């Protein structure tokens, strides 16, 4: 017998889950939510936001370093302890603020792990809950590497709350999280090594621009070991030894004070007992149809990182939660419209991307124009003595529409949004050139990139 019955029960108090719970309650439905850790989830507590707060001090170091001898005499000192304290001033209020907001909207709050008992019932702590609709928004968690000594490896969450910086670090996995942390640490004087399993880090980003970013990262002191498979981590007296094999099957190792597992993230579903709820897994998350409904249990909707749809980014939680809300409130009428989603690697300089890659565009269109250039000598980069600025813009030659944009350089994470707008609106190069941008600004460079 259920202790409580709800119209909607949401599992996971991150960005996606909270959005669904608040909106459904505002629509007059009886809603509850549960969270097994702190309310707020990954983005504001142990992801995007704390990362960008720590990044802020390294932005000061970067600009001062580039401008040394051009007006700046000394590179400022930094304090990791203060950086962490400043970061905590952003993360600390999140859980209570989230709970207050949910309560204000009339959502019942649970704190505990939810597991499916049947298609419509869950256990949450010692309670049994029945709900007409259940929303799974449980996010991702770091992948567990099946290697000896994996227990010595720290996670992205550990990095973001490190009390003290060690002298050396190894990041196993050169995706965007590993690369961003490598840059933060290297700028703070840590000896950094990135080990990646493929030929280039940052899979999925433009390979030509990745090459430029890697060359610059090496100048920063970051060492790369590529095409390498880590097979064990051994605890030594003072350092850890990370053993790896490269393609030529030579067994080697690198030593460091700390080793981080940044090899990827997988669906956070191990304690959900999805099999009891008749919810099935897809390739990279829980399987959904176009309405973001479970393909096997019509009472269940799935959104955010844990769904098998779209990229695992905070910017995707908005369109996905809106779709789930609309379908719960009005019945299945709204299909997920996979929007143009830009992505950024917050290294310094940033690398950002939206739309098709050169390879994808060449497969999709008969003729494409590829504007690839290194623009370090352009005024914007020159003015701040930036060491790297480059772009690759992809245009469908027949229509002159912009179909892809890839930028490495200062503020690329901002400039890319103009390209997102242009691609979303189907703008041609002439359309963009008709827009007047401020001068001198990074946006103004769009004219020259086209
Ligand atoms: C280091 C890092 C940096 C990132 N940087 C960026 C960035 O710059 N830009 C960007 O767009 N994205 C970034 N992301 C990704 C972004 O954080 C996620 O896309 C976003 O937080 C996903 O939100 P969500 O609501 O789907 O999941 P989450 O925020 O992960 O929330 C899921 C919640 O569900 C809870 N939960 C899980 N299982 C259960 C259960 N059985 N019962 C109860 N509760 C449960 C979890 O505790 C968690 O709090 C970053 C991620 C990381 C790790």
């Amino acid at each position: 017998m259920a202790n409580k019955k709800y119209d909607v029960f949401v599992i996971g108090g991150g960005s996606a889950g909270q959005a669904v719970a608040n909106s459904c309650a505002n629509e007059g439905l009886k809603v509850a939510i549960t969270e097994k850790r702190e309310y707020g989830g990954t983005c504001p507590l142990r992801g995007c936001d704390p990362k960008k707060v720590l990044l802020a001090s390294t932005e000061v170091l970067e600009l001062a370093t580039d401008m040394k001898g051009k007006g700046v005499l000394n590179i400022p000192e930094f304090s990791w302890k203060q950086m962490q304290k400043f970061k905590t001033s952003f993360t600390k209020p999140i859980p209570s603020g989230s709970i207050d907001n949910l309560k204000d909207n009339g959502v019942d709050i649970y704190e505990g792990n939810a597991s499916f008992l049947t298609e419509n019932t869950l256990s949450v702590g010692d309670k049994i809950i029945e709900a007409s609709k259940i929303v799974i928004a449980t996010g991702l968690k770091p992948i567990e590497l099946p290697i000896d000594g994996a227990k010595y490896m720290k996670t992205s969450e550990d990095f973001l709350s490190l009390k003290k910086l060690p002298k050396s670090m190894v990041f196993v996995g050169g995706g965007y999280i590993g690369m961003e942390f490598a840059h933060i640490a290297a700028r703070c004087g840590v000896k950094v090594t990135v080990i990646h399993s493929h030929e280039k880090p940052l899979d999925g980003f433009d390979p030509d621009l990745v090459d430029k970013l890697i060359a610059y990262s090496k100048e920063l002191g970051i060492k790369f070991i590529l095409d390498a498979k880590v097979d064990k981590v051994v605890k030594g007296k003072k350092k850890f030894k990370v053993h790896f094999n490269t393609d030529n099957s030579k067994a080697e190792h690198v030593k460091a004070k700390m080793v981080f597992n940044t090899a990827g993230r997988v669906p956070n579903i191990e304690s959900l007992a999805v099999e009891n709820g008749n919810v099935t897994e897809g390739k990279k998350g829980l399987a959904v149809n176009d309405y973001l409904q479970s393909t096997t249990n019509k009472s269940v909707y799935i959104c955010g990182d844990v769904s098998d749809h779209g990229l695992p980014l905070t910017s995707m939680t908005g369109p996905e939660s809106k779709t789930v809300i609309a379908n719960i409130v009005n019945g299945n009428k709204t299909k997920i419209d996979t929007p143009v989603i830009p992505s950024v690697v917050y290294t310094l300089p940033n690398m950002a991307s939206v739309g098709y890659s050169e390879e994808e565009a060449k497969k999709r269109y008969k003729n494409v124009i590829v504007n690839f250039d290194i623009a370090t000598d352009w005024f914007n980069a020159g003015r701040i003595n930036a060491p790297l600025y480059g772009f690759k813009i992809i245009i469908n030659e027949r229509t002159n529409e912009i179909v892809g944009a890839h930028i490495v350089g200062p503020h690329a994470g901002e400039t890319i949004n103009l390209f997102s707008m242009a691609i979303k609106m189907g703008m041609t190069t002439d359309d963009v050139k008709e827009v007047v941008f401020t001068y001198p600004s990074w946006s103004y460079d769009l004219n020259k990139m086209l």
Side-chain angles (χ1 to χ4, degrees), residues 374-390:
I374 296 304
T376 313
D377 58 349
W378 289 10
F379 178 76
N380 275 316
R383 181 187 72 86
I384 57 170
N385 199 30
L388 176 60
Y389 183 31

Side-chain angles (χ1 to χ4, degrees), residues 375 378-381 383 389 391 393 407 410-412 414-419 429 431-450:
W378 289 10
F379 178 76
N380 275 316
R383 181 187 72 86
Y389 183 31
F391 60 88
I393 313 298
I407 310 174
H411 306 289
E414 299 294 335
T415 317
I416 203 73
N417 293 318
L418 291 170
F419 281 106
T429 54
D431 292 332
V432 173
K433 283 179 183 170
E434 271 177 31
V435 181
V436 177
F437 293 114
T438 52
Y439 180 86
S441 65
W442 295 98
S443 317
Y444 195 86
D445 284 353
L446 254 70
N447 293 307
K448 288 206 275 178
M449 291 180 184
L450 301 170

Side-chain angles (χ1 to χ4, degrees), residues 11-17 34-38 41-43 46-48 51 112-114 137-140 156 160 176-177 181 265 268 271-272 303-305 312-315 317 346:
I11 311 171
S15 317
T34 191
E35 168 55 60
K36 66 176 177 182
R37 298 188 57 187
E38 309 84 13
T42 306
C43 178
R46 42 187 185 270
C48 339
K51 169 189 80 185
N113 185 76
T138 54
L140 302 178
S156 56
L160 291 170
Y176 80 95
I177 295 175
F181 289 177
R265 291 169 64 77
N268 194 359
S271 55
L272 256 185
C303 71
D305 284 4
L313 292 173
T314 297
S315 37
T317 62
Y346 287 106

Side-chain angles (χ1 to χ4, degrees), residues 351-398:
M351 185 153 84
S353 203
V354 67
Y356 293 119
S357 66
E358 180 177 354
E359 198 186 346
E360 285 163 343
K362 282 180 172 165
K363 277 189 202 146
R364 200 175 173 91
Y365 304 105
K366 202 165 167 211
N367 294 305
V368 293
I369 300 168
V370 178
N371 287 349
F372 170 43
D373 205 357
I374 296 304
T376 313
D377 58 349
W378 289 10
F379 178 76
N380 275 316
R383 181 187 72 86
I384 57 170
N385 199 30
L388 176 60
Y389 183 31
F391 60 88
K392 187 183 276 185
I393 313 298
I394 324 274
I395 298 153
N396 175 359
E397 193 171 4
R398 185 180 64 80

Side-chain angles (χ1 to χ4, degrees), residues 126-290:
D126 57 1
K127 304 235 167 20
I128 309 286
I129 310 284
E130 190 181 324
S132 309
K133 298 282 182 265
I134 294 171
V135 178
I136 305 177
T138 54
L140 302 178
K141 60 176 189 160
I143 192 171
E144 281 170 28
L145 291 176
I147 56 169
D148 284 349
K151 64 178 179 198
Y152 300 125
M153 299 174 92
K154 297 194 175 295
T155 63
S156 56
E157 191 174 341
D158 297 322
F159 179 90
L160 291 170
S161 53
L162 273 182
K163 290 211 161 49
K164 239 177 113 185
L165 277 177
K167 287 209 165 75
S168 52
M169 287 180 181
V170 168
F171 293 95
V172 177
Y176 80 95
I177 295 175
M179 284 296 292
E180 290 172 341
F181 289 177
H183 267 232
I184 292 175
R187 288 200 188 271
C188 292
V190 178
K191 207 173 140 214
V192 174
T193 306
V194 174
I195 305 181
H196 192 63
S197 53
H198 299 152
E199 191 195 336
K200 286 181 209 289
L202 296 171
D203 308 337
F205 283 85
D206 181 77
D208 292 320
L209 297 184
V210 169
D211 283 346
K212 302 288 173 197
L213 183 64
I214 297 311
Y216 172 66
S217 305
K218 286 181 185 167
E219 282 175 34
L220 269 185
I222 300 172
K223 192 177 160 203
F224 290 89
I225 299 169
L226 301 173
D227 265 334
K229 197 171 166 289
V230 169
D231 41 36
K232 62 180 170 187
V233 178
V234 178
K235 193 173 189 291
K237 264 196 183 149
K238 290 193 172 160
K239 290 182 177 174
F240 293 99
K241 269 189 193 175
V242 183
H243 292 259
F244 59 89
N245 278 287
T246 45
D247 257 4
N248 54 23
S249 49
K250 220 174 105 192
E252 290 173 85
H253 71 260
V254 57
K255 286 184 190 168
K257 283 275 191 191
M258 258 182 209
V259 187
F260 290 87
N261 168 6
T262 47
R265 291 169 64 77
V266 292
N268 194 359
I269 54 170
E270 70 181 3
S271 55
L272 256 185
V274 283
E275 60 289 352
N276 295 341
N278 191 25
V279 175
T280 41
E281 286 184 62
K283 273 194 194 140
K284 54 186 178 63
L286 295 176
V288 286
N289 60 21
D290 287 345

